[in-house]
Amino acid sequence: MNLNQLAARLQHIAPFHVMELSKKAAVLEQQGRHLIHMGIGEPDFTAPPAVVEAATRAMAEGKMQYTSATGLPALRTAIAQHYRQVYGLDIAPERIVITAGASAALLLACAALVDRGSEVLMPDPSYPCNRHFVAAFEGQARLIASGPEHRFQLSAQMVREHWSEATRGVLLASPSNPTGTSILPDELRAIVGEVRQRGGFTIVDEIYQGLSYEGEPFSALSLGDDVVVINSFSKYFNMTGWRLGWLVLPPALVPQIEKLAQNLLICASSIAQHAAVACFTPETIAIYEERKAEFKRRRDYIVPALESLGFTVPVVPDGAFYVYADCSALSDDADQLSLEMLNEAGVVLVPGLDFGPFTARRYIRLSYATSMENLQEAVARLRVFFAQRQKEKAA
């Protein structure tokens, strides 16, 4: 095939460096090295037994046909009830569209809202795929430098200052990947107000909302039915490979998203949907809450441990399972430091390169979605690694 035939939009989509680092790690493991993975954000927990049993039962009963593009009514109803029980919100099931993961939800939202040349504001740092979803529909992600003084998030003031004639909306994540920080409710309310005043759209990625460790449960859906919210069964619900997520939409947008889903995706996996209904029983929720408490325990261990190694954690993460740590006291190149930690200490961490230029060279992201034993072993290895580096510098 002649590469000149490729679509021009591919030039605006960069490789996902997290995955590239994982490839290097895989080569080392093939050579017999034992590595501790704290790079990719995937829970070490898997779907609880009731969820697996529901999938098995659905297959045994032959419930494997296509569903409607918007998803199983039973699952949409279960999600609506979850919003009522956890957040005190009355969300009509008809506003919920089941998708093939949060990635498909974001693609559908961008397909409906992003035109060629549309500018979408988002923080730097942020999850790289979010800007690539915008680029896939020939929009332009405008990354706004968002430091620790802003919790690595956009503020209402940033929206006011950076909104232009080309701006069509904002894409936020709370809690965020890579930082694990949330937008405080009052700030998010102010952001939504600024966007609404300008006739724009607000998309909020809440895939880590179930893993919020501080304060009362809060969803952007409480700020009005014009906010588009993305969620997923991958993180809190521990169903990464099942590829299942959902959108909560303004009522007028539902038929438009349904039309897109019918044509682009047909439907999410029917087996995964039948299984996911079992996520919302009291017994299964109790399991998820125990696992959430374990994630918090790991966070409370790893943050001071990183600081004892010489990293700085300027904002303690209040959600997800990430720590965004400043490594500038240890190295002037986070990318090179990550490679050295991989090759010499056998610890897989991710440099800030993926998440935007503002923090690319000074920060690393750590995922504590691994066992406490692995976290402790990683810290021990890194302590030896940095001590050796110090000796070499002094020599």
Side-chain angles (χ1 to χ4, degrees):
M1 180 181 180
N2 184 348
L3 293 183
N4 291 328
Q5 296 173 309
L6 293 175
R9 68 176 61 89
L10 288 174
Q11 298 172 17
H12 303 289
I13 298 178
F16 200 172
H17 292 93
V18 170
M19 299 304 181
E20 295 301 313
L21 195 68
S22 295
K23 290 180 186 177
K24 294 176 182 177
V27 171
L28 290 177
E29 288 179 318
Q30 288 170 2
Q31 296 170 356
R33 290 283 304 278
H34 175 261
L35 304 181
I36 298 176
H37 289 269
M38 298 189 294
I40 294 176
E42 182 171 30
D44 54 327
F45 302 113
T46 57
V51 176
V52 176
E53 290 165 9
T56 303
R57 188 163 56 251
M59 287 187 285
E61 294 174 359
K63 296 178 179 177
M64 294 176 283
Q65 296 86 1
Y66 294 136
T67 70
S68 71
T70 54
L72 285 177
L75 183 55
R76 299 166 79 189
T77 298
I79 292 170
Q81 290 172 345
H82 186 67
Y83 277 114
R84 187 175 299 111
Q85 292 166 358
V86 176
Y87 301 99
L89 297 174
D90 188 14
I91 305 297
E94 293 76 20
R95 290 178 56 197
I96 298 168
V97 173
I98 309 301
T99 60
S103 295
L106 281 160
L107 282 169
L108 288 169
C110 288
L113 297 169
V114 176
D115 273 323
R116 177 180 294 180
S118 294
E119 184 179 84
V120 181
L121 306 183
M122 57 186 73
D124 177 355
S126 60
Y127 182 57
C129 296
N130 287 358
R131 62 181 183 267
H132 296 152
F133 293 139
V134 172
F137 295 98
E138 301 182 350
Q140 176 66 48
R142 186 174 179 188
L143 298 180
I144 310 301
S146 306
E149 68 277 14
H150 297 290
R151 301 177 55 77
F152 301 109
Q153 295 280 7
L154 287 191
S155 66
Q157 181 179 347
M158 290 177 191
V159 173
R160 285 193 299 271
E161 291 176 351
H162 293 281
W163 196 278
S164 72
E165 289 186 4
T167 307
R168 293 294 175 268
V170 299
L171 202 171
L172 313 169
S174 183
S176 163
N177 175 7
T179 68
T181 61
S182 299
I183 306 173
L184 298 179
D186 286 346
E187 190 65 50
L188 185 54
R189 184 175 291 105
I191 291 171
V192 171
E194 293 289 340
V195 174
R196 187 179 287 143
Q197 183 179 327
R198 289 161 176 77
F201 62 78
T202 301
I203 301 174
V204 184
D205 174 348
E206 291 189 345
I207 71 172
Y208 296 101
Q209 186 56 235
L211 295 174
S212 294
Y213 308 118
E214 318 295 343
E216 294 298 315
F218 177 82
S219 170
L221 292 168
S222 66
L223 303 178
D225 63 6
D226 56 341
V227 177
V228 174
V229 162
I230 310 289
N231 215 315
S232 171
F233 285 93
S234 290
K235 310 303 181 180
Y236 175 77
F237 295 102
N238 310 151
M239 294 175 68
T240 49
W242 300 68
R243 306 314 303 133
L244 199 64
W246 73 85
L247 281 156
V248 184
L249 299 165
L253 193 52
V254 173
Q256 306 305 320
I257 292 288
E258 181 177 12
K259 175 175 65 176
L260 286 167
Q262 287 169 338
N263 283 279
L264 299 179
L265 304 169
I266 301 179
C267 68
S269 161
S270 58
I271 298 168
Q273 291 189 63
H274 284 289
V277 175
C279 290
F280 299 100
T281 67
E283 295 79 13
T284 311
I285 291 294
I287 293 172
Y288 290 132
E289 288 298 301
E290 289 176 4
R291 293 174 176 183
K292 175 181 173 178
E294 173 60 17
F295 280 131
K296 183 178 183 295
R297 187 173 79 96
R298 295 173 187 178
R299 181 203 65 172
D300 293 344
Y301 165 76
I302 198 62
V303 169
L306 284 171
E307 293 188 320
S308 76
L309 294 171
F311 294 94
T312 301
V313 182
V315 186
V316 175
D318 59 291
F321 33 61
Y322 304 111
V323 182
Y324 209 50
D326 187 335
C327 64
S328 55
L330 300 166
S331 173
D332 58 4
D333 188 340
D335 195 29
Q336 181 60 33
L337 179 63
S338 295
L339 284 173
E340 291 173 3
M341 290 188 290
L342 169 63
N343 291 321
E344 298 177 36
V347 175
V348 185
L349 298 172
V350 176
L353 184 63
D354 270 328
F355 308 112
F358 180 55
T359 56
R361 296 298 175 188
R362 293 187 296 118
Y363 282 82
I364 60 100
R365 187 196 74 178
L366 176 147
S367 167
Y368 51 88
T370 187
S371 69
M372 183 66 84
E373 292 75 19
N374 279 343
L375 293 177
Q376 292 168 337
E377 173 64 19
V379 169
R381 290 186 186 188
L382 291 175
R383 202 173 299 284
V384 171
F385 165 73
F386 285 119
Q388 183 62 37
R389 286 176 94 234
Q390 197 64 32
K391 284 181 183 179
E392 292 171 358
K393 284 182 181 180

